[in-house]
Amino acid sequence: MKGQNVLINNGKIEKIGPGLKAPKRYQKIDGAGKFLMAGMADMHVHLPAAERDIISTKHFLLLQLIAGVTTVRSMRGSLNHIALRDSVKKGMILSPDLYLSAPPIYSSQKVAPDSIDELILAYKNVGFDFIKILSLPNSLVFYDSLLAAANRYQMPVVGHAPWGDVQTAIKNKQRSIEHLQGYASLKGDTLNETIRKTKVNNIYNCPTLDWTFVGSLYYSMDYLKRRPGMEYLPLELRKKWEKTLSDYIGKVANQERKKDSLSLIVQLDIVRQLKAEGCKFLLSQDASNVFQVPGFGLLEEMKLFKKAGFSNHEILVIATQNPAQFFGESDRLGAVRTGFKANLIMLAGNPLEDIENIKKVDGILLGEQWHTREFLEGQIKTYLR
């Protein structure tokens, strides 16, 4: 809608309409010629681990914000994330809203099936939002016990397909499947039926296509070095990424590259088939590979969705409204509507016309706190000295 004024009160959208007059006490933000939309959600995030990541947690969160991300789903849970989220809620740390995975379930964990109930309840009581499967012991009893406990305590189960078996994940209504795991091994009618059941069981897929495309050497080094957001990273990290990728290129044979290229075609085709069936998606690049800038990678993922046949509008819905539905909060998040939480971004260009405009973030509103791009850049620069 053109020419609208938006009034924000107590962190919520109070009114929307042309010519609205705000009380004098309200801060006025000039949006003439700009475009206002709901903040985006990065739905497969690994928060930095201090012992091995060059980027600090605060720097990481600022990168998300300046890229227009107001919600992140953390997929590498840790007990210290609870304290981090508490600090964010108290306004002590500038950050998107955080939805937190419990520490991931690993196949090497020494947890007996009859102890799973106690573990899931403990995670629930601490304050985690969902359970992340990374890998599982080779035991259907363990998986069944995990799902039963998670359902009992209303803790959604997300993550990798158990043993790479997407049919088992779908049958048991795992809430989301990451990286399209398991689909590529299916063919013909089996794949078609699996995709149909994905839709019927309301299961979300977070493909993280960009992670695969980068790892498969789809992009040139020159292109990767010019990706948006690289200027906000430490020179040390950029040089490390360049060396890592150069070393990897030198080791990979041409035959292996051809195999990887075929895999990329298959992944895009699976996304197309899921789309055709009306299945739901979540958006993230899974910024854990080289040349993947937290937050900014959403645009790279969006461009791959474009390759799979999505319109700009469909992609923006995936970035905003789908996460709200996933979290069961579509009545308060994910849109510019009266009564909704005012997690909003202002853009200098219309992303419906050109998805590249998503990188033109002029400012971000977190409830009642307005942060300009210049302010966020200033905060980020403190981590580049």
Side-chain angles (χ1 to χ4, degrees):
M1 296 183 292
K2 294 182 178 180
Q4 302 294 305
N5 289 343
V6 181
L7 300 187
I8 310 296
N9 189 22
N10 290 327
K12 294 184 178 180
I13 299 173
E14 185 177 36
K15 292 180 182 178
I16 302 173
L20 289 177
K21 300 294 183 182
K24 289 184 177 180
R25 70 178 186 278
Y26 279 44
Q27 177 186 4
K28 292 179 177 61
I29 301 165
D30 185 5
K34 305 295 175 61
F35 300 85
L36 190 68
M37 64 173 276
M40 298 182 292
D42 190 339
M43 294 294 282
H44 192 110
V45 161
H46 298 290
L47 295 173
E51 67 275 10
R52 65 170 179 266
D53 290 324
I54 294 175
I55 299 177
S56 71
T57 299
K58 291 181 181 179
H59 185 183
F60 179 95
L61 296 172
L62 286 168
L63 289 170
Q64 294 280 357
L65 290 175
I66 201 170
V69 174
T70 58
T71 299
V72 300
R73 184 178 67 147
S74 164
M75 299 291 279
R76 184 172 67 189
S78 174
L79 287 173
N80 64 359
H81 293 169
I82 300 296
L84 171 66
R85 185 175 59 189
D86 289 344
S87 294
V88 170
K89 288 181 177 180
K90 292 174 183 177
M92 299 166 62
I93 296 175
L94 192 53
S95 166
D97 290 343
L98 301 177
Y99 289 82
L100 302 177
S101 154
I105 303 295
Y106 291 90
S107 59
S108 59
Q109 280 180 305
K110 305 299 182 183
V111 181
D114 59 2
S115 299
I116 291 176
D117 192 277
E118 182 180 350
L119 178 67
I120 301 305
L121 178 58
Y123 286 154
K124 174 80 171 183
N125 289 339
V126 167
F128 289 113
D129 299 303
F130 54 92
I131 303 300
K132 158 78 182 289
I133 293 175
L134 188 63
S135 59
L136 288 173
N138 190 21
S139 166
L140 190 58
V141 173
F142 184 97
Y143 185 58
D144 288 344
S145 300
L146 174 65
L147 288 167
N151 288 333
R152 188 175 303 116
Y153 300 117
Q154 297 182 317
M155 292 281 278
V157 175
V158 308
H160 297 180
W163 317 290
D165 182 358
V166 70
Q167 292 172 291
T168 296
I170 291 167
K171 177 184 176 182
N172 288 281
K173 298 183 179 180
Q174 187 169 306
R175 187 69 171 136
S176 75
I177 298 168
E178 313 306 305
H179 324 303
L180 301 175
Q181 251 197 350
Y183 287 98
S185 63
L186 307 177
K187 308 295 179 186
D189 291 343
T190 304
L191 176 60
N192 294 337
E193 180 63 10
T194 301
I195 289 174
R196 187 189 71 81
K197 289 180 179 177
T198 302
K199 162 70 172 176
V200 169
N201 288 342
N202 195 34
I203 293 168
Y204 291 76
N205 268 278
C206 190
T208 63
L209 295 169
D210 186 64
W211 189 95
T212 306
F213 272 64
V214 171
S216 299
L217 305 180
Y218 178 81
Y219 303 109
S220 70
M221 178 77 80
D222 183 60
Y223 174 83
L224 292 171
K225 289 166 67 175
R226 291 184 287 106
R227 278 186 157 190
M230 290 293 292
E231 66 274 23
Y232 298 130
L233 297 177
L235 180 61
E236 175 191 1
L237 179 59
R238 285 180 275 157
K239 287 184 175 180
K240 179 182 178 182
W241 281 355
E242 189 170 344
K243 183 180 186 306
T244 298
L245 188 60
S246 294
D247 291 346
Y248 181 63
I249 291 171
K251 293 177 182 178
V252 177
N254 287 335
Q255 192 64 32
E256 197 170 337
R257 291 194 194 187
K258 289 179 182 178
K259 183 180 177 181
D260 285 342
S261 296
L262 179 60
S263 173
L264 300 182
I265 293 170
V266 170
Q267 288 218 359
L268 286 177
D269 191 53
I270 289 169
V271 170
R272 291 187 189 102
Q273 291 181 66
L274 288 164
K275 177 184 186 297
E277 188 64 34
C279 298
K280 293 181 179 178
F281 292 91
L282 303 171
L283 201 69
S284 181
Q285 66 167 170
D286 183 6
S288 54
N289 212 335
V290 295
F291 295 102
Q292 289 191 298
V293 185
F296 288 89
L298 286 190
L299 174 58
E300 304 299 333
E301 192 74 7
M302 288 176 175
K303 290 192 281 190
L304 291 171
F305 270 69
K306 289 278 285 184
K307 282 182 178 290
F310 288 76
S311 69
N312 292 347
H313 178 264
E314 288 171 327
I315 291 169
L316 294 173
V317 167
I318 293 169
T320 56
Q321 294 180 20
N322 280 16
Q325 293 171 6
F326 177 86
F327 292 124
E329 299 190 277
S330 56
D331 60 342
R332 61 180 290 272
L333 292 175
V336 185
R337 292 180 191 157
T338 302
F340 275 47
K341 186 172 182 177
N343 277 3
L344 308 171
I345 58 176
M346 189 176 290
L347 304 172
N350 187 351
L352 289 172
E353 294 177 356
D354 184 351
I355 203 66
E356 292 274 357
N357 285 329
I358 207 72
K359 66 188 176 187
K360 298 179 180 178
V361 177
D362 267 11
I364 186 165
L365 187 66
L366 300 174
E368 291 189 321
Q369 299 299 316
W370 169 249
H371 305 290
T372 65
R373 183 179 196 88
E374 292 72 21
F375 169 78
L376 293 172
E377 284 181 336
Q379 295 293 303
I380 290 170
K381 285 178 181 177
T382 65
Y383 295 98
L384 303 180
R385 294 170 183 164

